Amino acid sequence: MRFHASTISRVSHLRNKAPISCQASAKPQSNHKQGCNFGIAFDIDGVILRGRVPIGGSPQALRRLYGDSGELSVPYLFLTNGGGVPETKRAKELSELLEVNIMASQVVQGHSPFRNLLKKFENELIIATGKGDPALVMSEYGFKKVLSLEEFASYFENIDPVSQYKKWTSMPLSNKKAPSVPIYDVSSERVMAAFVVSDPVDWGRDIQVLCDVLRSGGLLGDANNYQPPLYFAADDLEYQAAFPYKRLGMGAFRIALESVFNRTSAKSLEYVTYGKPNPFVFKNAEIILSQLRSSSCQNPYENNGVLGSQPFKTLYMIGDNPSVDVKGAQQAGHPWFSILTRTGVFRGKDNHTEFPADLVVDSVEEAVDYILKRECVESGS
Ligand code: G3P
Ligand code: MG
């Protein structure tokens, strides 16, 4: 049963057959004594941030998940389809923007599961594209032979016939890399896989070069029917950035690439997409939250000094995108509980019709307030 709750207690009562019994005025309790049989996954764009600006009272909301001495009292992580920088860097950026201490292990980005492909491509030549530093992301995961698509393209004169018109790509001369000798011999060494790590910046060039690479078996000019594997970190059609209206995301780029490729090739494009709403993302989040619980929260199921591995009672997904965040939590099933905020992609008054959340709130602050009351945890802030 799904609700767009205007009254929180009604939602709780209906869904779990137990009304919220803790009152806002209840005496603060120690989270450590309370234990952590719940956890929280926060979407970033449209829930925590819009562009680089915190929204929905996110800094205050996050502060409530820490104890008096700054230790984590509720296991939580960020589950975003965004990315483009290593998790360590993203954690540092988020810590600065949100004024709480965020660990790299609490940041799961769309491309984080690319690590699992290391066995397959560790020593193979791969290309990576997207905003930020996609090649650095892949190198930090352990891939040994990574070229950004930009660098790969730079080794082929005139590969992009309109590049001279792209004044917007100009950067101060001091930042411009001198034409370099290719690190890898791209005229003889095959690209074995292509990764769309984050939202592509130059769609035209990327579509052109990816078509070249994928149609030629990874070696430009080669007549080869084999298509190297293509991986997308996410498949969001739209997302909430700094602009007030929704912006096209990686899913839109995928559609553009796919339609051009399919019109210009004998075979249809083959690809794999990661990120929410894939159920494995939520499974993985559950594992990480469980590790965070073991390392940061006293486990109520502790037995003879051995931390129990009791499953979570509830895991909350707080998101702004019904077809990504809510659909993902729904597909993942128990113990996931979806909370939809009105601060991003979704702005409806009532619940979303196709992917109704378990709860709809105005902001992440309201969502955290609801969770802490429902879980009978009163924070000090
Ligand atoms: O590029 C970012 C976007 O696709 C979604 O990010 O945090 O809303 O999952 P998020
Ligand atoms: Mg979002």
Side-chain angles (χ1 to χ4, degrees), residues 204-256:
R205 179 201 63 195
D206 285 10
I207 289 173
Q208 178 64 74
V209 175
L210 285 171
C211 281
D212 291 334
V213 169
L214 300 172
R215 278 195 304 236
S216 62
L219 196 60
L220 261 62
D222 200 25
N224 193 322
N225 261 340
Y226 167 73
Q227 186 214 300
L230 169 64
Y231 301 97
F232 291 90
D235 200 41
D236 294 18
L237 184 59
E238 294 179 308
Y239 71 106
Q240 184 68 54
F243 196 66
Y245 311 128
K246 295 178 264 189
R247 302 292 82 197
L248 298 176
M250 197 182 291
F253 174 79
R254 193 263 304 158
I255 292 169

Side-chain angles (χ1 to χ4, degrees), residues 72-278:
L72 195 63
S73 56
V74 174
Y76 82 87
L77 51 70
F78 296 97
L79 201 54
T80 176
N81 276 355
V85 293
E87 285 71 15
T88 40
K89 191 169 173 206
R90 189 75 167 135
K92 205 165 162 276
E93 280 173 9
L94 288 169
S95 301
E96 281 162 18
L97 292 172
L98 301 165
E99 295 170 354
V100 286
N101 181 30
I102 294 157
M103 299 174 283
S105 58
Q106 289 175 284
V107 179
V108 181
Q109 307 191 91
H111 48 70
S112 300
F114 284 172
R115 285 188 183 97
N116 304 334
L117 295 166
L118 197 57
K119 262 196 194 144
K120 219 167 166 186
F121 301 111
E122 184 174 1
N123 296 306
E124 309 284 3
L125 179 60
I126 59 170
I127 56 171
T129 192
K131 70 175 183 186
D133 203 340
L136 177 68
V137 168
M138 298 304 282
S139 301
E140 290 218 350
Y141 290 160
F143 295 91
K144 302 275 182 338
K145 294 169 81 175
V146 191
L147 280 180
S148 70
L149 187 148
E150 184 172 23
E151 185 169 6
F152 176 83
S154 74
Y155 300 143
F156 298 90
E157 210 180 343
N158 298 323
I159 195 168
D160 178 4
V162 293
S163 63
Q164 71 268 36
Y165 302 103
K166 292 178 179 171
K167 299 205 170 58
W168 51 273
T169 61
S170 321
M171 42 172 124
L173 273 178
S174 55
N175 292 351
K176 264 199 172 156
K177 282 187 204 148
S180 51
V181 178
I183 318 174
Y184 307 111
D185 185 359
V186 290
S187 63
S188 64
E189 188 162 1
R190 267 178 211 288
V191 172
M192 299 304 284
F195 293 83
V196 182
V197 170
S198 46
D199 292 314
V201 176
D202 184 349
W203 281 35
R205 179 201 63 195
D206 285 10
I207 289 173
Q208 178 64 74
V209 175
L210 285 171
C211 281
D212 291 334
V213 169
L214 300 172
R215 278 195 304 236
S216 62
L219 196 60
L220 261 62
D222 200 25
N224 193 322
N225 261 340
Y226 167 73
Q227 186 214 300
L230 169 64
Y231 301 97
F232 291 90
D235 200 41
D236 294 18
L237 184 59
E238 294 179 308
Y239 71 106
Q240 184 68 54
F243 196 66
Y245 311 128
K246 295 178 264 189
R247 302 292 82 197
L248 298 176
M250 197 182 291
F253 174 79
R254 193 263 304 158
I255 292 169
L257 172 67
E258 189 175 12
S259 43
V260 173
F261 185 93
N262 291 353
R263 291 286 292 270
T264 54
S265 316
K267 284 189 183 169
S268 296
L269 185 72
E270 286 177 16
Y271 57 85
V272 178
T273 59
Y274 284 73
K276 300 168 288 184
N278 284 310

Side-chain angles (χ1 to χ4, degrees), residues 43 45 320 325:
D43 177 73
D45 291 310
D320 68 306
D325 304 315

